[in-house]
Amino acid sequence: MHPRIEDYALIGDEQTAALIGRDGSVDWLCLPRFDSAACFARLLGDEDNGHWRVAPKDVDGPCTRRSYRPGTLVLDTEWETDEGTVRVTDLMPQRDRAPDLVRIVEGVSGRVTMRSTLRLRFDYGSVMPWVRKVHGHRVAIAGPDSAWLRSQPPVQTWGEDFSTLSEFTVEAGEKVAFVLTWHPSHERRPKLIDPYESLRVSLADWQAWADRCRYDGPHRDAVLRSLITLKALTYAPTGGIVAAPTTSLPEELGGVRNWDYRFCWLRDSTLTLGALLSAGYQEEAEAWRKWLLRAVAGDPADLQIMYGLAGERRLPEFELPWLSGFADSAPVRIGNGAVDQLQLDVYGEVMDSLWLARHAGLATKSHMWALQRTLMEFLETAWRQPDEGLWEVRGGRRHFVHSKVMIWVAADRAVRTLEEDPELPGDLDAWRAMRDEVHREVCEKGYDPARNTFTQSYGSVELDASLLLIPRVGFLPPDDPRVIGTVDAVRAELGHDGFMRRYSAEESPVDGLPGGEGTFLVCSFWLADALHLTGRTKEARELFERLVGLANDVGLLAEEYDPASGRLLGNFPQAFSHIGLVSTALALFGDEGAG
């Protein structure tokens, strides 16, 4: 039976990440970066596409229990067997040059025979490497990739069924550590690490980082786990944060809504900055802002909705036909064609992010306001165009209300910046006029007075969960009857068992795709925020409690949730969902939970 999405836990080294199942199998790992080709791709195929399982020899099923060490990304997985109890500790230490995957087996009680099955398959499970033995290590090479496997103390390994196998026995207190190290095949093997020292340093580093968290309110463990997850999804060399470490985990089991999320979205920028700053992580917020400023530099007409880890612009989309997809959900896609879409809301997100950074006390950059002026000069004419909207629909451009609201945000933040600092250059009168015109048009063309609700796009009957953000960004005050009406309408029409869909995919052709999808977790957090803003804090807190309860046993959330099957859906873990959890906790409990 194929594992469920929620069966996985995450480890990583802030440059890439691995997913480990309850059965002790590493089923997904891209090396050396989040967006590199996977060497373990069982997640999207089968065992022949690569995996590495370390577990008791005669146990085929899941572990007895697992958990992260408190305040860290170090994972403990335990099995209780008839022979005794054994623990496997998994981590990816902060790398010096090469990425390492460390798996430490420790006997807890009794005497347990363990089995390691390593099946490396480079290039997303399509390339079987040549494996040989060198100085007691197993070395796998194929094209540009090379991986070294060693154990400490050494245990016997052998090749069988195109895999590298090991069997050994551990008693209480005994330990055996495996280290898998990747490097380019044309380079010499990197310096060997001490796995036990790496564990000690990793625990200390993560716990010191977690101690900086200022939030001390309800559900602190969930908030801290979300912040650790965001840290794990950070590409440390540049400060960029990937939307998820996976590609093509389906939004509908067996469906075609499978996308590559191993890139950095501008849309996440405001919420990410706000969450990091409010929780006490100013250095990470500053690194994210620096990434943002580098990524968006250039002609404002060329602003993209997403970029690569280092700001790369070309992210071509193609399919991998040899992978069957998670739970037979094909196609498996690499790259993301939405990178070429026009989504005007991202201009508002960038302007709002830089406004937030300025007010949070981050150092002002000399070129920052020049960039913002250039963005505004472009928007002065471009804002009248239709676009594909924040959900990256593939059914044609429309005048999406959320996009227009975010254009208003861009103008509003520009105006307020000039009002606060009149010495800055800029056309204050023109931007005020633009702000007023956009506001007037949205209220005239994007609002349905008969139903007392804003709509998904001008003249449409469909609704959209992004409308819940209208009071949050300040477009209208929370007590405006149009806001309250919109919150109630969106909740009624897009709600499913109390959670929120993005829009009505089954009834609307807006996205140009067949099939449906689950409820969208960040939209459900937006509903909690909107309920709180409109005076229904008790309901908001009840919804937040339910949302926190959707996290898996180690506190991770995917992009979506299916109330009918009770399963998580979409790429995992999803940064946007964890940002939503942190932001909503701060909104609901900030006064009592901020240090």
Side-chain angles (χ1 to χ4, degrees):
M1 184 175 179
H2 202 286
R4 303 170 302 169
I5 290 172
E6 53 266 41
D7 288 336
Y8 288 97
L10 178 83
I11 62 171
D13 63 1
E14 294 181 59
Q15 295 193 43
T16 191
L19 292 187
I20 304 175
R22 293 176 188 265
D23 61 351
S25 179
V26 181
D27 287 350
W28 182 254
L29 176 60
C30 300
L31 293 172
R33 305 193 337 171
F34 289 106
D35 56 353
S36 300
C39 63
F40 299 136
R42 180 190 179 204
L43 180 73
L44 301 177
D46 56 33
E47 292 186 350
D48 287 334
N49 297 124
H51 74 113
W52 183 14
R53 185 168 191 245
V54 178
K57 178 182 177 182
D58 297 322
V59 176
D60 293 327
C63 63
T64 305
R65 58 186 164 269
R66 62 179 181 173
S67 62
Y68 287 112
R69 302 277 180 99
T72 79
L73 201 66
V74 174
L75 180 71
D76 286 330
T77 304
E78 293 188 1
W79 286 265
E80 291 182 355
T81 73
D82 293 340
E83 289 72 35
T85 301
V86 66
R87 176 187 306 121
V88 176
T89 298
D90 290 308
L91 67 145
M92 292 189 73
Q94 287 276 352
R95 70 177 76 168
D96 176 18
R97 185 166 63 89
D100 297 287
L101 173 56
V102 177
R103 315 199 71 184
I104 299 174
V105 182
E106 179 179 5
V108 177
S109 66
R111 179 181 174 89
V112 182
T113 300
M114 299 293 292
R115 185 178 180 93
S116 167
T117 303
L118 173 65
R119 185 173 281 125
L120 278 164
R121 297 292 185 270
F122 296 120
D123 195 20
Y124 297 106
S126 67
V127 176
M128 185 182 302
W130 174 43
V131 181
R132 69 189 195 280
K133 200 167 186 176
V134 178
H135 304 305
H137 300 180
R138 289 284 171 171
V139 184
I141 296 177
D145 298 292
S146 178
W148 293 65
L149 175 70
R150 63 187 175 92
S151 59
Q152 185 178 331
V155 297
Q156 183 181 2
T157 63
W158 70 93
E160 181 181 311
D161 192 25
F162 304 107
S163 304
T164 298
L165 303 181
S166 306
E167 281 190 12
F168 56 97
T169 301
V170 289
E171 297 182 1
E174 291 184 337
K175 297 180 182 180
V176 174
F178 291 93
V179 182
L180 182 70
T181 303
W182 179 96
H183 67 94
S185 59
H186 65 277
E187 296 181 359
R188 297 184 63 180
R189 186 199 68 190
K191 180 181 178 181
L192 300 179
I193 66 167
D194 181 330
Y196 304 107
E197 176 66 9
S198 294
L199 172 60
R200 185 192 68 78
V201 172
S202 291
L203 288 171
D205 287 350
W206 275 109
Q207 287 163 353
W209 189 87
D211 287 345
R212 290 166 48 199
C213 178
R214 287 206 309 247
Y215 180 80
D216 197 27
H219 297 288
R220 186 180 190 276
D221 288 347
V223 170
L224 181 57
R225 179 52 51 193
S226 292
L227 289 164
I228 290 172
T229 303
L230 292 177
K231 180 71 168 173
L233 298 182
T234 300
Y235 184 64
T238 66
I241 300 175
V242 295
T246 56
T247 179
S248 301
L249 291 180
E251 298 173 10
E252 178 185 40
L253 293 178
V256 300
R257 297 167 181 263
N258 316 317
W259 314 107
D260 194 346
Y261 275 17
R262 298 172 299 157
F263 310 112
C264 307
W265 266 255
L266 298 188
R267 182 165 300 114
D268 302 4
S269 60
T270 306
L271 290 175
T272 304
L273 270 171
L276 291 173
L277 288 168
S278 298
Y281 293 100
Q282 188 144 333
E283 291 178 15
E284 287 73 17
E286 174 63 13
W288 175 233
R289 186 185 67 164
K290 287 180 178 177
W291 177 90
L292 178 66
L293 289 169
R294 290 193 302 269
V296 305
D299 188 340
D302 297 331
L303 190 69
Q304 298 183 177
I305 64 168
M306 72 182 86
Y307 295 86
L309 305 177
E312 297 91 346
R313 290 173 173 263
R314 299 189 186 278
L315 312 173
E317 183 178 303
F318 57 96
E319 298 177 4
L320 303 183
W322 62 85
L323 290 175
S324 59
F326 183 92
D328 295 321
S329 305
V332 171
R333 294 184 174 94
I334 302 300
N336 201 310
V339 71
D340 297 320
Q341 289 187 352
L342 174 66
Q343 296 182 23
L344 293 172
D345 66 294
V346 296
Y347 292 85
E349 273 107 27
V350 170
M351 292 292 293
D352 201 20
S353 294
L354 299 180
W355 160 265
L356 175 64
R358 180 187 296 269
H359 275 253
L362 296 187
T364 301
K365 304 295 182 181
S366 58
H367 62 288
M368 195 166 73
W369 180 246
L371 169 66
Q372 291 175 271
R373 283 178 60 202
T374 304
L375 295 178
M376 287 304 305
E377 289 164 1
F378 170 75
L379 275 183
E380 285 182 51
T381 55
W383 76 265
R384 293 180 175 83
Q385 301 179 53
D387 71 347
E388 274 93 359
L390 85 161
W391 302 128
E392 296 157 17
V393 300
R394 304 193 178 196
R397 294 181 179 180
R398 297 186 180 191
H399 289 284
F400 286 100
V401 169
H402 175 262
S403 294
K404 303 299 186 187
V405 167
M406 292 311 298
I407 290 167
W408 176 89
V409 168
D412 178 72
R413 303 319 186 245
V415 166
R416 292 164 68 183
T417 300
L418 284 180
E419 289 174 343
E420 291 180 1
D421 191 349
E423 299 300 316
L424 290 173
D427 195 338
L428 180 58
D429 291 338
W431 295 344
R432 277 179 178 152
M434 172 185 165
R435 179 179 65 175
D436 293 344
E437 185 179 357
V438 174
H439 197 280
R440 183 167 53 253
E441 182 179 288
V442 170
C443 292
E444 290 176 357
K445 298 182 178 180
Y447 175 71
D448 181 348
R451 292 190 292 164
N452 188 28
T453 182
F454 286 93
T455 58
Q456 183 181 58
S457 60
Y458 289 177
S460 71
V461 296
E462 297 91 0
L463 301 183
D464 193 299
S466 62
L467 301 171
L468 296 169
L469 296 173
I470 285 175
R472 179 170 177 162
V473 300
F475 184 83
L476 287 172
D479 59 356
D480 189 295
R482 292 167 294 183
V483 168
I484 296 172
T486 298
V487 173
D488 291 342
V490 169
R491 187 185 190 186
E493 293 194 19
L494 299 183
H496 185 185
D497 193 31
F499 305 118
M500 296 302 301
R501 293 172 294 164
R502 294 186 293 176
Y503 47 80
S504 181
E506 294 83 358
E507 301 167 8
S508 169
V510 66
D511 59 22
L513 295 167
E517 61 184 23
T519 59
F520 216 72
L521 294 182
V522 77
C523 297
S524 302
F525 284 114
W526 292 348
L527 175 61
D529 294 339
L531 289 171
H532 173 56
L533 286 171
T534 54
R536 291 170 276 186
T537 298
K538 182 176 182 294
E539 292 179 63
R541 292 186 174 187
E542 290 172 351
L543 175 56
F544 181 77
E545 294 275 350
R546 293 190 65 202
L547 287 165
V548 170
L550 298 183
N552 73 353
D553 60 313
V554 290
L556 302 180
L557 290 168
E559 181 181 35
E560 301 181 10
Y561 173 73
D562 178 19
S565 64
R567 293 182 60 171
L568 294 176
L569 296 172
N571 283 303
F572 174 87
Q574 176 79 3
F576 221 0
S577 298
H578 285 283
I579 292 166
L581 188 153
V582 174
S583 298
T584 301
L586 290 166
L588 291 177
F589 310 110
D591 291 342
E592 56 192 278

